[in-house]
Every structure is written in structure tokens, then in C-alpha cells.
Amino acid sequence: MTASATSITSSLPTGFDPNRTYRAAVIGAGSGGLTMAIGLAGFSHEVVLIEAGPVGGDCTNVGCVPSKALLHAAAHSIEDPFGYVRAKRDDLAGREEVEMDEHDTIHFLRGRARLTDQRSPHVVAVARPDGSEVEVRAENVIICAGSKPVEFAIEGMPSERVLTNETLFDLDEIPGRIVLIGGGAISLEMATAFRDLDVEVHIVELANRLIGNDDPLVSSTIQAALEARGVIMHIGTSIERFDAATNTVHLADGDQIDGVDYALLAVGRRPRLDGLGLDVAGVDHSPKGIVADDWGRTSVERIWAVGDITGNTLTTHGANAIGRRAVRAIALPYLLTTGSPRAMPNAVFCRPEIASVGISVEEVASKNRAGRRRYEVHFADTDRGYTDGVEHAVVMVDVERFTGKVLRAAIVGPAAGEMIGLFTMAIDHGIGLRKMFGTVHPYPAYAQAIGKLVDDFARDTYPALPKEWFAMIRGRIFDRFRRRVSR
């Protein structure tokens, strides 16, 4: 062994051997990477976990954890809300890093990884913080490199006034007026938090409605709720320029917003593909992410990809779900890798909350109208909604006639993120509204809105079972024919 090799090895984690072939090398210590590393370690496999940044990835450091901490701090009038956020974030990240450093079968390696063209075993080159490079040999490589916010310049606006989720939580002072660019989850949650902090909030959304991938009723309900709280909407327009002399944002529709302190870019995310050596290793990818199936398998045998890097999911629970499937496929290769993932719910923790599960809005619309029904119940029409003065809240569900099979469900309202679990379980286990009839919900819980919805389905279905059965059959025949024609 050369002197240089000895110095490099001595700076590596205790127990790590660059000449050994490990069961897996995991690139990225975010939610997907931690799921993979901890999961495989639970099967007594030794794993190398490679990370260049903070442990916990986006979720712990710039996403789910700090955003929910800010929502909590703002709602409870905590002094120094951004200090509170950073304390929560740093504490959790620190504990996660210690856990990885001290793990018996996970070798936590600091550095930036890239794939090579070597296989059997796969070789991953890792550029270390001290400028050295070490190779990791592994039977399997799992890429969990995550995503980053879409960024663009705003004409005339200094870069220090333009925020993303990666810089937002480093603010020291509460702004007086902020513009949130985009009408998706990040903007809706931050609009909620900043209004609680008494900040003047403007949302600028290019599309003709908020949260455009969800149901139009979801969009209109949450817009009405936020406007009732004082959020100012600019829908169907975009920012043209910023006048630094007056701190004025000029919009494409001719409107303007004066006295702006910051603009938050929240128009989407893109996978972190640069520098991974995907082309060298022959891994299929596109600007949308690494091409991977719902077990995490890529175009190269024993190279896997999980989480945001694939573009298949942009949520922590989505990365965890696919990660668990990939763990099973690697650790228990004798089991068949067949079947689809469980239903994947989504939630936005604005106020009121938004949650949904099931097939997409477009897929629902493509199904034969004669074979499906929609049911809606507004929280205001429930006793709990009445006592709490809930005005802008609704639960809606699209179902198959006769069986009540849940196609898609969406909730806007208090505790929506908790309530959606009932519909998620119904989809996973084939429990239609017909089987849910008679289920008892505690009075006066918000979940009674679901009970009322099921009652409406029962009133339509039970008095006309033959008619509903034929409608279901017609719908299924139409959908089967449509799928055959579209192939």
C-alpha cells in the first residue's frame, strides 16, 4: 500500500474497507437513502452511505421539517420563529448524523459520489471533502440524490431578495411583505405561516387556478379560504420585473405590488442529475429524472433509483414507500417482485389542510360517466363544522357505481391529512363505499363528513341495485374498450 493510500484510508470511517465489496452503496442520505440504508442494515447487510451535504436531505433540512416547524411557530406566536425553526432542524439533522456515524453496519462516508463503468461489483468513485478520492465497491448501488428547486432570475431583483425553500429558513427577521411565486404546496403552506406572522402575502400563479394538479373544487375552496385570511391572489399572470428604487414588483397583467421585501420561488423542483456519472454507467435518464420502475430498478442491473431523483415521487412518504420495496427486492431476491405499490396519498399542510389519494383528476375524467358518481359534503353541513365555524372545507370522492369503489378522494379542511387515511386504506384493500355503509364515526368528529358522504351513496344505490349494477358493468366495458383502443 502506498503512503498516499494509507493517508486516505486513515481518514475514512472506522471499519470501512475500500477493497471490500459491500451489499450496497447508497448515494444520498435523504429520506429515500436513509430508508434504504437502515432497511438493508436491518437484514444484517453492511452498507456504505455516501452524502456530501447534511444528513436528512431536503426533508430534514429545507423541506418538511422546517416548513412544519415554521407553521407551528407562527400559529403559536413563538418568539423568534426562524430561530425556532433552525433549532428544530439542526437538532434533528444532528441526531440523524450521529445515528449514521455510530451505526454498526452502516458506514457513513462523506463525499460526492459518481458512478463508473465498472460492474460486478459496481464501483462508485467518491470525492472526499479533503480533496482525495476513494472507491466504494458494492453489489448494488442505490441512487437517492434528491431534487433541487427550479430557479430563475427576476429582472431587476437583487439575488439576496429572491428566496427558495433552501434559503427561506435562514431569514433572521420577519418580512413585511412577501411574494410567493407559484400556487403549489410550498406557496400554500408558506402563505399560511406568513399570514399568522402578520406578513402581507401575495401569491402569483401563472395558471388559471391554484394547485392545478388537483380537482378544481379543491382549487376554488383553498383560494377562498386563503383570501378570507387576507392572502392576495394574482392568478393567470407572472412577474415581469422588479423596480429596486421603489421595491415594486410589476406583473404581466399590468398590476403591481409595492414595497416587496422578498420573492419566494416555488414553481417546482428538478432532479439532481449532474455529476452522478449516469451516462458513463449507462443508466437511462431524462430531464425528468432517472428512469426507474416502481421497485426502483433502473436500466442497469443492480443499479437502483429511489425518490425525487426519479421524478416518480416528490414526497418523503413516496420515497420511503418505494425504498421499502427496493429493500425487499435486494434483501429477499427469492420473492417475486410483482404487484403495484400501495395507494400514495398527498397532503398540503396549509390551513385548511388539503389531502388527496387515488387516480389522477384526468384519469377520473376519462372514465365513462355512466359508470361513476361523485359525492361532495361540505364541512359546514356537519355539526362539528357548525360548532367550529368552518366555512371553506369539503370532502369529495369519485366512485364506481354499485360497489362504491373509490377512484379518487380529496379533502380540504381541518385534519385532512389524517382523514385521508381512511380512503387510502379503502383503495388498498378494495373497500368501497357500499362496504363502508354503517361504519360508526365518533360524534362530533370531522370524519362525520365521510359518514354523510357514504349515506348519500347508500341512498342512491340500495333502492336501485339492479340499475346500479348495470351502470357499473357498462362503465367497466367502456373503460376496457377505451384502454384497448389507446394501446
Side-chain angles (χ1 to χ4, degrees):
M1 182 178 291
T2 65
S4 60
T6 302
S7 63
I8 291 173
T9 304
S10 64
S11 66
L12 296 174
T14 302
F16 172 74
D17 182 357
N19 297 310
R20 178 181 175 181
T21 297
Y22 290 90
R23 182 62 166 164
V26 181
I27 301 174
S31 55
L34 291 176
T35 295
M36 292 297 307
I38 295 170
L40 289 170
F43 283 95
S44 300
H45 294 304
E46 292 211 27
V47 177
V48 179
L49 177 62
I50 307 163
E51 175 58 67
V55 174
D58 286 352
C59 181
T60 297
N61 296 282
V62 296
C64 309
V65 170
S67 63
K68 304 314 169 284
L70 183 60
L71 283 164
H72 175 82
H76 293 83
S77 302
I78 291 177
E79 187 177 355
D80 187 15
F82 288 104
Y84 173 86
V85 168
R86 290 190 288 272
K88 286 289 186 181
R89 174 196 67 189
D90 295 345
D91 175 66
L92 180 57
R95 286 193 277 123
E96 289 177 331
E97 180 152 349
V98 169
E99 181 184 359
M100 292 301 99
D101 275 331
E102 297 180 351
H103 202 286
D104 291 337
T105 55
I106 297 174
H107 303 276
F108 180 46
L109 183 61
R110 280 283 175 198
R112 192 167 299 280
R114 75 176 190 280
L115 304 177
T116 69
D117 60 0
Q118 295 177 261
R119 304 182 186 181
S120 299
H122 289 286
V123 175
V124 177
V126 181
R128 301 273 288 151
D130 63 3
S132 63
E133 184 170 280
V134 66
E135 291 183 343
V136 177
R137 290 167 171 77
E139 297 172 14
N140 299 272
V141 175
I142 305 106
I143 308 171
C144 308
S147 63
K148 56 186 177 182
V150 173
E151 297 186 59
F152 54 87
I154 298 173
E155 181 184 343
M157 194 166 205
S159 59
E160 63 268 19
R161 288 179 179 261
V162 180
L163 303 171
T164 69
N165 69 295
E166 294 183 346
T167 57
L168 169 65
F169 305 110
D170 290 326
L171 290 178
D172 291 318
E173 297 183 356
I174 300 171
R177 184 172 294 139
I178 191 168
V179 176
L180 310 179
I181 305 173
I186 295 174
S187 282
L188 301 185
E189 290 186 354
M190 292 303 95
T192 300
F194 280 117
R195 281 305 298 144
D196 283 345
L197 294 172
D198 203 28
V199 176
E200 183 177 308
V201 176
H202 295 253
I203 293 180
V204 178
E205 169 55 56
L206 182 60
N208 60 6
R209 61 188 180 93
L210 300 176
I211 201 158
N213 61 338
D214 217 315
D215 193 274
L217 181 56
V218 170
S219 302
S220 60
T221 303
I222 193 61
Q223 180 171 339
L226 291 176
E227 286 179 331
R229 297 196 59 223
V231 177
I232 302 168
M233 301 291 176
H234 306 270
I235 306 298
T237 189
S238 60
I239 292 180
E240 276 198 337
R241 60 185 177 86
F242 178 77
D243 186 342
T246 58
N247 294 335
T248 299
V249 166
H250 294 268
L251 304 180
D253 63 0
D255 201 357
Q256 64 183 46
I257 307 169
D258 299 322
V260 173
D261 295 311
Y262 294 101
L264 173 66
L265 301 181
V267 296
R269 302 185 65 78
R270 59 167 58 103
R272 296 182 185 272
L273 300 172
D274 296 341
L276 288 173
L278 300 175
D279 292 327
V280 172
V283 177
D284 288 348
H285 62 95
S286 74
K288 294 181 179 180
I290 295 175
V291 179
D293 67 9
D294 52 24
W295 289 89
R297 294 172 293 205
T298 72
S299 60
V300 178
E301 187 176 3
R302 295 190 177 276
I303 293 183
W304 312 70
V306 170
D308 292 12
I309 193 73
T310 66
N312 296 337
T313 177
L314 293 174
T315 65
T316 295
H317 55 274
N320 290 343
I322 300 301
R324 287 193 294 271
R325 287 164 67 85
V327 166
R328 200 199 88 175
I330 294 171
L332 306 171
Y334 47 83
L335 296 181
L336 293 176
T337 51
T338 58
S340 300
R342 295 295 183 93
M344 198 73 69
N346 291 297
V348 183
F349 296 94
C350 46
R351 193 159 67 247
E353 294 179 7
I354 302 170
S356 61
V357 68
I359 63 177
S360 69
V361 173
E362 292 74 21
E363 288 174 304
V364 171
S366 71
K367 288 188 171 293
N368 184 262
R369 293 184 62 85
R372 60 182 169 89
R373 289 187 189 275
R374 157 167 279 212
Y375 293 92
E376 301 170 2
V377 172
H378 291 266
F379 280 49
D381 296 329
T382 67
D383 288 353
R384 181 63 180 276
Y386 168 74
T387 61
D388 291 5
V390 178
E391 183 178 358
H392 305 290
V394 63
V395 55
M396 64 197 81
V397 62
D398 293 286
V399 300
E400 181 182 62
R401 291 174 69 170
F402 184 72
T403 65
K405 173 186 175 183
V406 177
L407 304 174
R408 179 179 178 82
I411 305 171
V412 183
E418 314 299 331
M419 291 171 62
I420 202 65
L422 181 59
F423 289 114
T424 304
M425 182 173 291
I427 292 173
D428 280 340
H429 297 283
I431 303 171
L433 297 196
R434 193 156 60 90
K435 290 183 179 179
M436 291 169 64
F437 180 64
T439 298
V440 178
H441 301 279
Y443 180 87
Y446 289 121
Q448 285 214 308
I450 297 176
K452 287 175 67 70
L453 181 149
V454 175
D455 287 347
D456 291 343
F457 168 82
R459 276 191 290 269
D460 286 339
T461 303
Y462 284 113
L465 286 174
K467 174 185 173 184
E468 293 301 301
W469 185 85
F470 279 112
M472 174 195 71
I473 295 301
R474 286 199 307 271
R476 289 184 178 183
I477 292 172
F478 172 87
D479 292 336
R480 190 175 294 116
F481 176 76
R482 178 183 55 79
R483 287 195 300 268
R484 187 175 300 165
V485 170
S486 64
R487 286 174 183 166

